[in-house]
Structure formats: C-alpha cells, structure tokens
Amino acid sequence: MSTFLSTPVRAVLPRRSRVAAALRRGLWWTVLSLTGGVERRGRLPRGGCVVVANHSSHADTAALLAALDARHGPAIGAAADYWFASPWRRRICRRLAAGFPVRRGGGMEDLLSMAGELRGGRAVVLFPEGTRARDGELGSFHRGALVLAEEAGVPVVPVGIAGTDRLLPKHGRLRSSLVRVTVGEPLPSAVSPEEARDAVVALHARTVAEPLRDSATRRRVAAVVISRWGLPLAFCWAFAEALSWPLMPELLLGAVCVAVPRAALKMSLGALAGSLAGGLLALQLASAGVQLPAPLTTDRMRAEVRHELALEGASAVRHQPWNGVPFKVYGAEAGRAGVPTLDWLAASAAARGSRTLTVGLAFAGFGLLLRRHRRRYGRYLVLLGGGFAVGLSLIVHGWS
C-alpha cells in the first residue's frame, strides 16, 4: 500500500473555505431532510482525496455535499457545457455546489488544475461515468479521476449513493426518498478504472440492499392510514370530539402524520371535515335542548365561551385554536345562543381549518425530518401521549 495511505497529509483548508463548505453542507442537509432524510456510513480520510461515486441523479451532488465533512471543502466536477453554459447556471453551480467546470471529451487539463487544491487538503468529487446512468447500472469509468489522484499524490475514495434515483429521477419529478451515502476505504492512486468501478459497484449494492430499520408499530399504523379505513378514521375521530369525545383530533394527526407524512393532507382534511360536521350537529342538538356529556370541560370554559359569543357572535370561535377550550364547548354554547347555522359553519371552518391543517402539515414535516429514526416510532408515541396528557391536565386545571 502506498505511503500516503499510512501517513495522510494533514493540510488544513483556509477558514473561509471551511465556513463556505459548512454552510453548503447545512443547506443541503436541510433540503434532503425535508425530502426524506440523508444518512452516511464511513468517513473520508484526513487530507486531500479524489472521491469517485455512482451517478444517477442531479441529487447526487446534494447528497455528497450534505454527507461529506466540511473540513474537506468538497469541490464537485461539473459538465462545463451544461452547468457553465450561462451566467446564472455558473453562479448557482459555484456558490451552491462548489462546482468547477470539466469539459466533456477533453477535460484533463481542467482536472489537473485541481491538483493544488488536493495537496491543500481538499476533496475533489468526480463522477467517472461522465453522465447520469439511466437504468441504475454503472457505466465504465474514465481515467481522469485516477490520473488526477496520481498527479496530486492522494488516495481515491469510492462512494456508493442510494435513493437519489428515486428522489429525483433522470427527467423525472422530485419525490420523497431517504438518501444513503456509504464512504468506502481509500484506494491507492495507481488503482485501475475497473478496480475503482468495482469498489463503487460493491458499495452501491451494499447501500441499496441494507434494510431500513423500522418500527413494527409504525408499519401497522401506516397500513391503516393508507388503507380505505384511514380517511374514515380521521373523520370519525374529529366528528366524535366535536360532540363529546375528549381526545382532540390533533392527537391522531400527531400519530399518523409522523408515521406516513405523505398522507398528512388527506388525514388533515378528513379530520377537518369531521370537526365541521360534528360541530354542526352539536349546534343543532344544543339548540333543541339536548345536552351531551362533555368530559374534561369546566363551567368556567362554558362561561367564557358564552361571554365571547355574546360579544362577537359566530366569529368568537376564532379564539378556540389558542385558548385551550374544546371545540365541542363552542358548538354547544353556540347552539344555546341561537347562532345562525351558516354563520357558524363559515367561522368554524376558518378557525378549525387553520389549526387542523397547520398541525397536520407540521407533524408531516417532523415525520420527514425523523424518517431515518422511524425505528423509534413506538417511543415517539409514548412521548406524544404523555405530552398530550400533561398538556390536557394543565389546560383543564387552568380553566378550573
């Protein structure tokens, strides 16, 4: 094995380069976290190195910038005829991806110009196939990356990327997907293109095959949510809560939207429809003199709602998302106060809609951020239930 592998160069990039790399890493980590998450296995060696990776999507660049250490200040080789063909593309490529131009079919000089950066401790990322693969199969590797590594006297580091072909397929649209990056062991710069390709193929296959650790509880919840029973469940839960049921639909959304973020809008709209339907029925029953059980409510809550309705009419329900008084209290008291049905429907749709949709989408975003930790979903449910119980007891105590 070459000497540089056992005694790596400990060059340190300038502070400005490291700060810029850290900002880029934070940006792309945030973006990928919102689209499904990003995981990394392995680390780059100290000092400069040439990173070679499989390439199936434009999202590969974002994945590597999010996963590789900022202390290496990763620079990405980009096709000059595409990413540097116009001023705005050039600015985007340089600032957001630390890109440098490589001409197709004659870019050896462009590559060798990065030798000094490598000796200074930087990681230069190249896709030796030269283009994005269409069918997931890696093409043959060009020699440019290996010539550059040999010229700079730095190792070649193979990297396997999985998930980007689903996240942003070639000529496709953006979808949610977990991205995983596996960094392999350094190879000597004298490695052949075939050996480098075999190392990347093995890492890619291992990364794709690695099972995503999941929670059996989450899988069961997800199965219900995506089945024909998911929407009726959200509707019935919220409908019952608007009449008498003490558990708010937001508790249900907290469980299901984290389990299946893509179903958040559907479940939130189902819960909203149930709340509005239940609220209308509560209004009609109360106006007819029917008094339903209302557990975990207090006389002070009802007195406050009567006061608000007397001053503001149906629009008093706008306070409900913020004051902790259950929606069923507003529905029942509005019926006793003779609030017109259409006025009540319009006002409650605005109040409940803003709260229900915001909560559902917020939990969906949280679920996307925690996607790689879905194996801990059972613990999350325990914390969610405990937090809800504490919050509800504090609200009831505060209105007692």
PDB file of all heavy atoms in Angstrom, residues 375-398:
ATOM      1  N   ARG A 375     -37.438   3.721  13.438  1.00  0.00           N
ATOM      2  CA  ARG A 375     -37.428   2.551  14.324  1.00  0.00           C
ATOM      3  C   ARG A 375     -37.812   2.934  15.755  1.00  0.00           C
ATOM      4  O   ARG A 375     -38.162   2.068  16.555  1.00  0.00           O
ATOM      5  CB  ARG A 375     -36.049   1.899  14.298  1.00  0.00           C
ATOM      6  CG  ARG A 375     -34.927   2.748  14.868  1.00  0.00           C
ATOM      7  CD  ARG A 375     -33.582   2.095  14.660  1.00  0.00           C
ATOM      8  NE  ARG A 375     -32.475   2.868  15.226  1.00  0.00           N
ATOM      9  CZ  ARG A 375     -31.906   3.893  14.622  1.00  0.00           C
ATOM     10  NH1 ARG A 375     -32.332   4.288  13.426  1.00  0.00           N
ATOM     11  NH2 ARG A 375     -30.899   4.540  15.189  1.00  0.00           N
ATOM     12  N   ARG A 376     -37.717   4.229  16.074  1.00  0.00           N
ATOM     13  CA  ARG A 376     -38.070   4.699  17.421  1.00  0.00           C
ATOM     14  C   ARG A 376     -39.500   5.242  17.482  1.00  0.00           C
ATOM     15  O   ARG A 376     -39.853   5.973  18.399  1.00  0.00           O
ATOM     16  CB  ARG A 376     -37.082   5.782  17.860  1.00  0.00           C
ATOM     17  CG  ARG A 376     -35.635   5.298  17.941  1.00  0.00           C
ATOM     18  CD  ARG A 376     -34.758   6.350  18.590  1.00  0.00           C
ATOM     19  NE  ARG A 376     -33.418   5.861  18.780  1.00  0.00           N
ATOM     20  CZ  ARG A 376     -32.408   6.089  17.943  1.00  0.00           C
ATOM     21  NH1 ARG A 376     -32.612   6.813  16.854  1.00  0.00           N
ATOM     22  NH2 ARG A 376     -31.201   5.602  18.183  1.00  0.00           N
ATOM     23  N   TYR A 377     -40.312   4.883  16.516  1.00  0.00           N
ATOM     24  CA  TYR A 377     -41.677   5.414  16.455  1.00  0.00           C
ATOM     25  C   TYR A 377     -42.478   5.048  17.699  1.00  0.00           C
ATOM     26  O   TYR A 377     -43.293   5.851  18.178  1.00  0.00           O
ATOM     27  CB  TYR A 377     -42.377   4.881  15.196  1.00  0.00           C
ATOM     28  CG  TYR A 377     -43.801   5.337  15.046  1.00  0.00           C
ATOM     29  CD1 TYR A 377     -44.102   6.627  14.614  1.00  0.00           C
ATOM     30  CD2 TYR A 377     -44.865   4.484  15.338  1.00  0.00           C
ATOM     31  CE1 TYR A 377     -45.415   7.048  14.479  1.00  0.00           C
ATOM     32  CE2 TYR A 377     -46.172   4.893  15.207  1.00  0.00           C
ATOM     33  CZ  TYR A 377     -46.440   6.180  14.775  1.00  0.00           C
ATOM     34  OH  TYR A 377     -47.741   6.595  14.645  1.00  0.00           O
ATOM     35  N   GLY A 378     -42.284   3.848  18.241  1.00  0.00           N
ATOM     36  CA  GLY A 378     -43.005   3.452  19.455  1.00  0.00           C
ATOM     37  C   GLY A 378     -42.707   4.383  20.611  1.00  0.00           C
ATOM     38  O   GLY A 378     -43.613   4.781  21.360  1.00  0.00           O
ATOM     39  N   ARG A 379     -41.429   4.742  20.769  1.00  0.00           N
ATOM     40  CA  ARG A 379     -41.064   5.682  21.832  1.00  0.00           C
ATOM     41  C   ARG A 379     -41.693   7.049  21.583  1.00  0.00           C
ATOM     42  O   ARG A 379     -42.125   7.735  22.522  1.00  0.00           O
ATOM     43  CB  ARG A 379     -39.554   5.818  21.910  1.00  0.00           C
ATOM     44  CG  ARG A 379     -38.813   4.523  22.225  1.00  0.00           C
ATOM     45  CD  ARG A 379     -37.325   4.758  22.250  1.00  0.00           C
ATOM     46  NE  ARG A 379     -36.574   3.508  22.223  1.00  0.00           N
ATOM     47  CZ  ARG A 379     -35.260   3.435  22.162  1.00  0.00           C
ATOM     48  NH1 ARG A 379     -34.546   4.549  22.125  1.00  0.00           N
ATOM     49  NH2 ARG A 379     -34.650   2.262  22.131  1.00  0.00           N
ATOM     50  N   TYR A 380     -41.737   7.429  20.320  1.00  0.00           N
ATOM     51  CA  TYR A 380     -42.352   8.711  19.977  1.00  0.00           C
ATOM     52  C   TYR A 380     -43.824   8.730  20.390  1.00  0.00           C
ATOM     53  O   TYR A 380     -44.315   9.725  20.945  1.00  0.00           O
ATOM     54  CB  TYR A 380     -42.222   8.970  18.476  1.00  0.00           C
ATOM     55  CG  TYR A 380     -43.165  10.034  17.966  1.00  0.00           C
ATOM     56  CD1 TYR A 380     -42.929  11.385  18.223  1.00  0.00           C
ATOM     57  CD2 TYR A 380     -44.321   9.690  17.261  1.00  0.00           C
ATOM     58  CE1 TYR A 380     -43.816  12.365  17.786  1.00  0.00           C
ATOM     59  CE2 TYR A 380     -45.202  10.653  16.817  1.00  0.00           C
ATOM     60  CZ  TYR A 380     -44.943  11.990  17.081  1.00  0.00           C
ATOM     61  OH  TYR A 380     -45.821  12.945  16.656  1.00  0.00           O
ATOM     62  N   LEU A 381     -44.536   7.618  20.147  1.00  0.00           N
ATOM     63  CA  LEU A 381     -45.944   7.568  20.536  1.00  0.00           C
ATOM     64  C   LEU A 381     -46.106   7.710  22.050  1.00  0.00           C
ATOM     65  O   LEU A 381     -47.037   8.373  22.522  1.00  0.00           O
ATOM     66  CB  LEU A 381     -46.570   6.257  20.069  1.00  0.00           C
ATOM     67  CG  LEU A 381     -46.905   6.118  18.592  1.00  0.00           C
ATOM     68  CD1 LEU A 381     -47.638   4.814  18.335  1.00  0.00           C
ATOM     69  CD2 LEU A 381     -47.737   7.293  18.085  1.00  0.00           C
ATOM     70  N   VAL A 382     -45.209   7.090  22.798  1.00  0.00           N
ATOM     71  CA  VAL A 382     -45.266   7.212  24.261  1.00  0.00           C
ATOM     72  C   VAL A 382     -45.067   8.669  24.677  1.00  0.00           C
ATOM     73  O   VAL A 382     -45.805   9.203  25.525  1.00  0.00           O
ATOM     74  CB  VAL A 382     -44.207   6.306  24.910  1.00  0.00           C
ATOM     75  CG1 VAL A 382     -44.127   6.573  26.416  1.00  0.00           C
ATOM     76  CG2 VAL A 382     -44.529   4.834  24.654  1.00  0.00           C
ATOM     77  N   LEU A 383     -44.078   9.325  24.067  1.00  0.00           N
ATOM     78  CA  LEU A 383     -43.833  10.738  24.389  1.00  0.00           C
ATOM     79  C   LEU A 383     -45.001  11.614  23.957  1.00  0.00           C
ATOM     80  O   LEU A 383     -45.392  12.553  24.669  1.00  0.00           O
ATOM     81  CB  LEU A 383     -42.546  11.204  23.708  1.00  0.00           C
ATOM     82  CG  LEU A 383     -41.246  10.594  24.247  1.00  0.00           C
ATOM     83  CD1 LEU A 383     -40.067  11.039  23.384  1.00  0.00           C
ATOM     84  CD2 LEU A 383     -41.026  11.003  25.691  1.00  0.00           C
ATOM     85  N   LEU A 384     -45.566  11.317  22.786  1.00  0.00           N
ATOM     86  CA  LEU A 384     -46.710  12.095  22.296  1.00  0.00           C
ATOM     87  C   LEU A 384     -47.896  11.957  23.244  1.00  0.00           C
ATOM     88  O   LEU A 384     -48.514  12.954  23.637  1.00  0.00           O
ATOM     89  CB  LEU A 384     -47.096  11.615  20.897  1.00  0.00           C
ATOM     90  CG  LEU A 384     -48.327  12.289  20.268  1.00  0.00           C
ATOM     91  CD1 LEU A 384     -48.038  13.755  19.967  1.00  0.00           C
ATOM     92  CD2 LEU A 384     -48.740  11.560  18.984  1.00  0.00           C
ATOM     93  N   GLY A 385     -48.203  10.720  23.630  1.00  0.00           N
ATOM     94  CA  GLY A 385     -49.317  10.504  24.558  1.00  0.00           C
ATOM     95  C   GLY A 385     -49.072  11.132  25.913  1.00  0.00           C
ATOM     96  O   GLY A 385     -49.974  11.747  26.503  1.00  0.00           O
ATOM     97  N   GLY A 386     -47.845  10.997  26.414  1.00  0.00           N
ATOM     98  CA  GLY A 386     -47.529  11.605  27.703  1.00  0.00           C
ATOM     99  C   GLY A 386     -47.597  13.113  27.656  1.00  0.00           C
ATOM    100  O   GLY A 386     -48.149  13.757  28.571  1.00  0.00           O
ATOM    101  N   GLY A 387     -47.057  13.694  26.588  1.00  0.00           N
ATOM    102  CA  GLY A 387     -47.114  15.145  26.449  1.00  0.00           C
ATOM    103  C   GLY A 387     -48.536  15.647  26.316  1.00  0.00           C
ATOM    104  O   GLY A 387     -48.905  16.689  26.886  1.00  0.00           O
ATOM    105  N   PHE A 388     -49.355  14.906  25.572  1.00  0.00           N
ATOM    106  CA  PHE A 388     -50.758  15.300  25.422  1.00  0.00           C
ATOM    107  C   PHE A 388     -51.482  15.237  26.769  1.00  0.00           C
ATOM    108  O   PHE A 388     -52.248  16.147  27.112  1.00  0.00           O
ATOM    109  CB  PHE A 388     -51.444  14.385  24.412  1.00  0.00           C
ATOM    110  CG  PHE A 388     -52.913  14.641  24.270  1.00  0.00           C
ATOM    111  CD1 PHE A 388     -53.377  15.672  23.473  1.00  0.00           C
ATOM    112  CD2 PHE A 388     -53.838  13.864  24.953  1.00  0.00           C
ATOM    113  CE1 PHE A 388     -54.736  15.920  23.348  1.00  0.00           C
ATOM    114  CE2 PHE A 388     -55.195  14.105  24.840  1.00  0.00           C
ATOM    115  CZ  PHE A 388     -55.648  15.140  24.035  1.00  0.00           C
ATOM    116  N   ALA A 389     -51.231  14.164  27.534  1.00  0.00           N
ATOM    117  CA  ALA A 389     -51.892  14.024  28.836  1.00  0.00           C
ATOM    118  C   ALA A 389     -51.510  15.160  29.783  1.00  0.00           C
ATOM    119  O   ALA A 389     -52.368  15.733  30.475  1.00  0.00           O
ATOM    120  CB  ALA A 389     -51.539  12.666  29.458  1.00  0.00           C
ATOM    121  N   VAL A 390     -50.223  15.506  29.793  1.00  0.00           N
ATOM    122  CA  VAL A 390     -49.770  16.602  30.658  1.00  0.00           C
ATOM    123  C   VAL A 390     -50.387  17.924  30.213  1.00  0.00           C
ATOM    124  O   VAL A 390     -50.889  18.717  31.026  1.00  0.00           O
ATOM    125  CB  VAL A 390     -48.231  16.689  30.647  1.00  0.00           C
ATOM    126  CG1 VAL A 390     -47.757  17.961  31.348  1.00  0.00           C
ATOM    127  CG2 VAL A 390     -47.623  15.459  31.314  1.00  0.00           C
ATOM    128  N   GLY A 391     -50.356  18.180  28.902  1.00  0.00           N
ATOM    129  CA  GLY A 391     -50.912  19.423  28.383  1.00  0.00           C
ATOM    130  C   GLY A 391     -52.393  19.542  28.671  1.00  0.00           C
ATOM    131  O   GLY A 391     -52.897  20.609  29.060  1.00  0.00           O
ATOM    132  N   LEU A 392     -53.135  18.435  28.474  1.00  0.00           N
ATOM    133  CA  LEU A 392     -54.569  18.472  28.724  1.00  0.00           C
ATOM    134  C   LEU A 392     -54.886  18.714  30.200  1.00  0.00           C
ATOM    135  O   LEU A 392     -55.783  19.500  30.541  1.00  0.00           O
ATOM    136  CB  LEU A 392     -55.196  17.153  28.265  1.00  0.00           C
ATOM    137  CG  LEU A 392     -56.716  17.057  28.336  1.00  0.00           C
ATOM    138  CD1 LEU A 392     -57.379  18.149  27.508  1.00  0.00           C
ATOM    139  CD2 LEU A 392     -57.175  15.674  27.861  1.00  0.00           C
ATOM    140  N   SER A 393     -54.109  18.079  31.080  1.00  0.00           N
ATOM    141  CA  SER A 393     -54.350  18.291  32.509  1.00  0.00           C
ATOM    142  C   SER A 393     -54.052  19.726  32.910  1.00  0.00           C
ATOM    143  O   SER A 393     -54.778  20.304  33.738  1.00  0.00           O
ATOM    144  CB  SER A 393     -53.502  17.313  33.322  1.00  0.00           C
ATOM    145  OG  SER A 393     -52.114  17.556  33.123  1.00  0.00           O
ATOM    146  N   LEU A 394     -53.029  20.325  32.319  1.00  0.00           N
ATOM    147  CA  LEU A 394     -52.720  21.722  32.632  1.00  0.00           C
ATOM    148  C   LEU A 394     -53.823  22.652  32.135  1.00  0.00           C
ATOM    149  O   LEU A 394     -54.182  23.631  32.813  1.00  0.00           O
ATOM    150  CB  LEU A 394     -51.379  22.100  31.995  1.00  0.00           C
ATOM    151  CG  LEU A 394     -50.129  21.448  32.631  1.00  0.00           C
ATOM    152  CD1 LEU A 394     -48.882  21.833  31.826  1.00  0.00           C
ATOM    153  CD2 LEU A 394     -49.963  21.897  34.078  1.00  0.00           C
ATOM    154  N   ILE A 395     -54.352  22.358  30.946  1.00  0.00           N
ATOM    155  CA  ILE A 395     -55.438  23.193  30.405  1.00  0.00           C
ATOM    156  C   ILE A 395     -56.686  23.109  31.295  1.00  0.00           C
ATOM    157  O   ILE A 395     -57.288  24.133  31.662  1.00  0.00           O
ATOM    158  CB  ILE A 395     -55.759  22.764  28.966  1.00  0.00           C
ATOM    159  CG1 ILE A 395     -54.631  23.170  28.023  1.00  0.00           C
ATOM    160  CG2 ILE A 395     -57.073  23.402  28.498  1.00  0.00           C
ATOM    161  CD1 ILE A 395     -54.764  22.637  26.627  1.00  0.00           C
ATOM    162  N   VAL A 396     -57.052  21.888  31.639  1.00  0.00           N
ATOM    163  CA  VAL A 396     -58.247  21.717  32.495  1.00  0.00           C
ATOM    164  C   VAL A 396     -58.047  22.384  33.844  1.00  0.00           C
ATOM    165  O   VAL A 396     -58.941  23.061  34.370  1.00  0.00           O
ATOM    166  CB  VAL A 396     -58.580  20.216  32.649  1.00  0.00           C
ATOM    167  CG1 VAL A 396     -59.719  20.024  33.645  1.00  0.00           C
ATOM    168  CG2 VAL A 396     -58.940  19.607  31.297  1.00  0.00           C
ATOM    169  N   HIS A 397     -56.851  22.201  34.416  1.00  0.00           N
ATOM    170  CA  HIS A 397     -56.573  22.847  35.711  1.00  0.00           C
ATOM    171  C   HIS A 397     -56.625  24.364  35.582  1.00  0.00           C
ATOM    172  O   HIS A 397     -57.133  25.056  36.488  1.00  0.00           O
ATOM    173  CB  HIS A 397     -55.194  22.394  36.194  1.00  0.00           C
ATOM    174  CG  HIS A 397     -54.779  23.037  37.491  1.00  0.00           C
ATOM    175  ND1 HIS A 397     -55.327  22.664  38.696  1.00  0.00           N
ATOM    176  CD2 HIS A 397     -53.890  24.045  37.757  1.00  0.00           C
ATOM    177  CE1 HIS A 397     -54.792  23.400  39.655  1.00  0.00           C
ATOM    178  NE2 HIS A 397     -53.912  24.241  39.108  1.00  0.00           N
ATOM    179  N   GLY A 398     -56.080  24.890  34.466  1.00  0.00           N
ATOM    180  CA  GLY A 398     -56.084  26.341  34.302  1.00  0.00           C
ATOM    181  C   GLY A 398     -57.475  26.932  34.151  1.00  0.00           C
ATOM    182  O   GLY A 398     -57.710  28.088  34.501  1.00  0.00           O
TER     183      GLY A 398
END
